[in-house]
Every structure is written in C-alpha cells, then in structure tokens.
C-alpha cells in the first residue's frame, strides 16, 4: 500500500481510501462488541437471504389452495400449519418477507432522498427558505405518521407502490430535520469555506462536501425507519388499505386470520411473530449502530 511521506518531517499521510477503511474497521470493532446488535444483524442478513431465495426455500407455492387441508395445525408436512384455504403459512411468510423488505427499503430511500434534499437546502441557506421549509415539515409532523399514511392511501388507492409512497411521505419530515441539524453544524467549517473560496457552486458544496459528512445520523435513522415502514405497511394491510389477498403480506395475513384466532391460532401467531422479530431486530441493530457511529465513544 502506497504512503505519501513528507521529506524531512517523518510524517506519514494515509490515502483517503485507507482512512475510510480504517474508519469502517473502527465502527465495526465497536459494533461487534454489542452482542445483541450482532445477533440482530445476523437475523436481518438471514431475512434478506430468505427473501432472495424464496422460490427455493418455500415448500409450497404461496397461493396454492387445497381445501382438503384447510386449517391444519403445525405438523411435519406444514411446519406453520395451513390457513382457511389450505395454503401453507410458512410459504406465505417466506414470500411475504420479500414484500416487507421491499416496502421498508423503498419507502426509506424515498423519504431519505426527499427529506435529505429539503433538510440540506433549509440548513444551508437558512433565513426565509429555512423557515418556510421547516414550517411545512412541522405541519406534516403534526399529523401522526400512520394517520397520514392512511389518508394518502385513501387518496391514491391500495397497492404496493401506493403503500410505499404513503409510508415514505409520512417519514420525510424526520429526515429533513435530521439533515438540517447536521448541515447547520457543518456549513461553517473550514473545508466548506475552502470549497467556496475555490469557486464551487452551492449544489456542489451541498452534495459533495456537506451531505457525505451527514451520513452517520442518516444511516442510523434509516435503519430505524425501515422497521417503522414495515410496521406501518403491515398496519395498513391489516386495515384493508394495503396489499390485498392473495398477496402474502404479513399484515394482510393477520387480518385474514383474526376470525380464526381462537380455533386456529397459528394463522395469526406466526405472521405476528415474523413482524415482531424483524422490527425488534431492526431497532436493536439501529441502536447498536448509533452507538458505534457516535464519535463521543471514540474517547
């Protein structure tokens, strides 16, 4: 590995890529000390693998009906039992992981992108622009996220894309405020002043110099935001406003099975456990990641 050494001083400057690798290794070393965070990360990686290999891991087609096997309890043939149409619940949960992850990640990317742009503009320019944008975000924040998502879905209609848009819009103010706070603390630093001095335009300064230095709080909030997005999508589907049957969405599965909760508990128990485990793993991993990225812990 090449090092740039200043002649006569004996000082060594590491290349930028080496510094980034060292920073990543530092974060990883602190993260792996948190056993619960590591366990949560393993669960999430396993979930991603299950979602990718759903066609291979699923023992039955998720929409295959067999009325002769309806409402069967868990057994060796159907590990999680069957529902009122004889469909294998394990297969539907496996396929449902694809939908939950898709909703979670797409909704977060959507809200991070728009919220980040709004927050960066508000924090960088300040004054009237900041007041207008942040008051608009305050208005959106005044409405509970799930109620706002319900209202948006009622306007746009049901469906996967509309659910992702609704959940994403409800999360925009959170990321806007986080990015704005980070930009306010960074915009007056010396490297930003140097960029202005060499003639960099505002767009370049925001996206090349400021936003990359705001990534730590954004990453942490995005991890927690995926959990909220999955939970919100499940709630919308449970209310009949999200994905519709026979799509194997975990919230919709809960809604379908609630009338059999006393006679066939497995129809609602296993999808509910899937939601709890994934959301809990995301929250624990997000907390661990926040601690690992906290610069005060470097002391």
């Amino acid at each position: 590995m090449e090092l740039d050494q200043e002649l006569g001083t004996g000082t060594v400057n590491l290349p930028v890529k080496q510094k980034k690798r060292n920073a990543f290794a530092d974060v990883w070393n602190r993260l792996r000390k948190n056993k619960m965070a590591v366990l949560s990360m393993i669960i999430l990686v396993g979930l991603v693998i299950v979602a990718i290999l759903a066609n291979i891991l699923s023992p039955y087609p998720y929409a295959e009906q067999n009325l002769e096997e309806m409402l069967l309890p868990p057994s060796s043939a159907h590990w999680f039992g069957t529902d009122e149409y004889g469909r294998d619940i394990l297969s539907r949960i496996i396929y449902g992981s694809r939908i939950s992850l898709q909703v979670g990640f797409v909704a977060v990317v959507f809200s991070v992108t728009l919220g980040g742009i709004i927050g960066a503009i508000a924090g960088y320019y300040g004054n009237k622009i900041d007041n207008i944008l942040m008051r608009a975000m305050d208005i959106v924040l005044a409405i509970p996220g799930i109620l706002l998502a319900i209202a948006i879905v009622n306007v746009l209609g049901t469906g996967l894309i509309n659910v992702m848009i609704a959940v994403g819009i409800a999360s925009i103010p959170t990321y806007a405020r986080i990015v704005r706070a980070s930009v306010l603390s960074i915009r007056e630093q010396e490297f930003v002043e140097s960029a202005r001095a060499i003639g960099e335009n505002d767009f370049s300064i925001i996206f090349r110099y400021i936003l990359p230095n705001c990534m730590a709080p954004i990453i942490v909030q995005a991890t927690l935001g995926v959990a909220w997005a999955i939970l919100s999508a499940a709630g919308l589907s449970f209310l009949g406003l999200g994905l519709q049957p026979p799509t194997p969405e975990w919230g919709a599965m809960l809604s379908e099975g609630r009338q059999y909760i006393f006679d066939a508990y497995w129809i609602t128990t296993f999808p509910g456990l899937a939601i709890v485990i994934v959301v809990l793993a995301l929250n624990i991993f997000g907390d661990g990641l926040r601690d690992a990225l906290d610069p005060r812990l470097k002391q």
Side-chain angles (χ1 to χ4, degrees):
M1 185 172 296
E2 296 182 359
L3 298 176
D4 296 329
Q5 185 169 358
E6 296 181 9
L7 298 177
T9 63
T11 60
V12 176
N13 295 323
L14 292 176
V16 175
K17 291 183 179 179
Q18 178 66 22
K19 291 181 181 178
K20 289 182 178 179
R21 282 196 292 267
N22 290 341
F24 177 80
D26 188 36
V27 171
W28 168 245
N29 287 334
R30 280 182 278 119
L31 178 63
R32 69 180 181 178
K33 294 178 182 178
N34 188 331
K35 303 302 181 184
M36 290 300 297
V38 173
L39 177 60
S40 299
M41 183 180 67
I42 293 172
I43 292 174
L44 296 174
V45 170
L47 177 66
V48 172
I49 294 173
V50 167
I52 294 174
L53 302 178
N55 293 333
I56 299 174
L57 297 177
S58 178
Y60 301 94
Y62 72 84
E64 183 180 85
Q65 298 184 15
N66 186 351
L67 297 182
E68 295 180 358
E69 297 185 346
M70 54 185 287
L71 300 178
L72 291 181
S75 64
S76 58
H78 301 280
W79 288 5
F80 289 180
T82 61
D83 62 10
E84 67 273 24
Y85 298 105
R87 297 174 297 194
D88 183 69
I89 293 176
L90 175 59
S91 300
R92 292 178 62 76
I93 290 176
I94 290 174
Y95 275 98
S97 64
R98 284 183 171 181
I99 296 173
S100 294
L101 288 177
Q102 185 177 357
V103 171
F105 285 113
V106 173
V108 165
V109 169
F110 176 78
S111 55
V112 166
T113 301
L114 292 184
I117 293 173
I118 293 172
I121 293 173
Y124 183 79
Y125 291 105
N127 299 324
K128 292 183 178 180
I129 295 178
D130 183 19
N131 286 329
I132 292 172
L133 292 177
M134 286 302 101
R135 295 303 75 75
M137 294 298 99
D138 289 341
I139 292 172
V140 178
L141 277 175
I143 307 172
I146 189 63
L147 293 182
L148 180 60
I150 289 173
I152 294 172
V153 168
N154 274 323
V155 173
L156 299 179
T158 59
L160 179 61
I161 295 177
N162 292 340
V163 168
M164 291 188 293
I165 292 174
V167 174
I169 291 175
S171 301
I172 286 175
T174 301
Y175 297 99
R177 295 180 71 88
I178 290 174
V179 173
R180 173 184 176 271
S182 299
V183 171
L184 287 174
S185 65
I186 293 173
R187 67 179 183 179
E188 302 300 334
Q189 293 189 13
E190 291 182 358
F191 68 91
V192 177
E193 295 294 334
S194 299
R196 292 195 187 100
I198 62 175
E200 294 280 358
N201 57 45
D202 291 344
F203 180 88
S204 177
I205 292 173
I206 291 173
F207 288 95
R208 290 184 57 190
Y209 299 99
I210 295 180
L211 285 181
N213 288 280
C214 304
M215 292 309 297
I218 295 175
I219 291 173
V220 172
Q221 183 58 41
T223 304
L224 301 174
V226 172
W228 185 86
I230 291 174
L231 197 59
S232 297
L236 290 173
S237 296
F238 182 82
L239 295 173
L241 299 173
L243 280 79
Q244 303 299 309
T247 304
E249 201 280 330
W250 293 342
M253 293 173 66
L254 284 174
S255 180
E256 291 177 0
R258 59 185 171 178
Q259 58 183 317
Y260 302 100
I261 193 168
F262 295 109
D263 300 321
Y265 67 89
W266 53 88
I267 299 179
T268 54
T269 298
F270 292 112
L273 284 176
I275 295 173
V276 169
I277 291 172
V278 172
V279 172
L280 184 61
L282 282 165
N283 279 296
I284 293 175
F285 179 68
D287 287 340
L289 193 60
R290 178 185 58 200
D291 294 339
L293 291 171
D294 191 345
R296 291 172 296 181
L297 298 179
K298 296 181 181 179
Q299 302 297 329

